[in-house]
Amino acid sequence: MESCNWGSGPPRRMWPSPLRRRVVQVLQLFKRLHRTRQQVFKNDTRALEAARIKINEEFKSNKNEASSKKIEELIKIGSDVELLLRTSVVQGIHTDHNTLKLVPRKDLLLENVPYCDTPTQKH
């Protein structure tokens, strides 16, 4: 690795381009997961904290991974998890003993188009 010194401060190490790109991908995924966590579990402190801990643990446990193939797999899994959280999780609030009130986010409220698996016949 070569050193560079832009501006003041100690010299920084420059990573080779493919490695730099991979580091940026991992950091972007980390940030995206945390942003999604904050949106999906808004106002639910227990779920927010549990998700924060889980995300941080997963990234920490894999921080020394050197295999490019394994890193690619982990990025894919993380991206899939982020998509699943964003598109499939709906918050529920206990209103009484046996009742939950669902609180869907605006991005989940898509136009409701009925599905029909039998095609209509034209006469």
Side-chain angles (χ1 to χ4, degrees):
M1 279 188 250
E2 57 188 73
S3 296
C4 69
N5 193 4
W6 298 312
S8 61
R12 296 186 207 163
R13 296 275 179 206
M14 296 242 341
W15 292 314
S17 186
L19 180 58
R20 192 173 330 134
R21 210 172 12 257
R22 184 74 69 206
V23 168
V24 168
Q25 280 182 313
V26 169
L27 291 175
Q28 286 174 337
L29 176 60
F30 182 80
K31 288 179 182 180
R32 199 167 60 244
L33 279 164
H34 276 291
R35 281 191 209 106
T36 299
R37 165 190 73 89
Q38 289 172 335
Q39 292 170 357
V40 169
F41 301 119
K42 188 177 184 179
N43 301 322
D44 185 344
T45 53
R46 276 186 22 197
L48 281 165
E49 182 65 10
R52 183 188 69 77
I53 289 169
K54 184 62 175 172
I55 292 166
N56 291 347
E57 283 176 351
E58 290 297 322
F59 276 80
K60 187 179 266 188
S61 70
N62 291 294
K63 75 177 185 178
N64 294 322
E65 183 59 58
S67 165
S68 185
K69 186 175 181 178
K70 178 69 174 171
I71 293 169
E72 191 66 38
E73 289 173 16
L74 291 167
I75 289 172
K76 174 75 171 112
I77 291 169
S79 296
D80 290 348
V81 167
E82 190 275 335
L83 179 66
L84 184 74
L85 284 171
R86 188 168 29 88
T87 59
S88 302
V89 175
V90 178
Q91 281 185 306
I93 299 171
H94 286 277
T95 57
D96 63 37
H97 177 54
N98 289 327
T99 309
L100 275 176
K101 176 184 176 187
L102 297 181
V103 185
R105 293 176 315 284
K106 287 184 181 181
D107 55 335
L108 287 179
L109 298 175
L110 303 174
E111 186 176 327
N112 190 6
V113 178
Y115 173 76
C116 178
D117 60 355
T118 56
T120 56
Q121 294 180 2
K122 295 182 181 179
H123 295 282

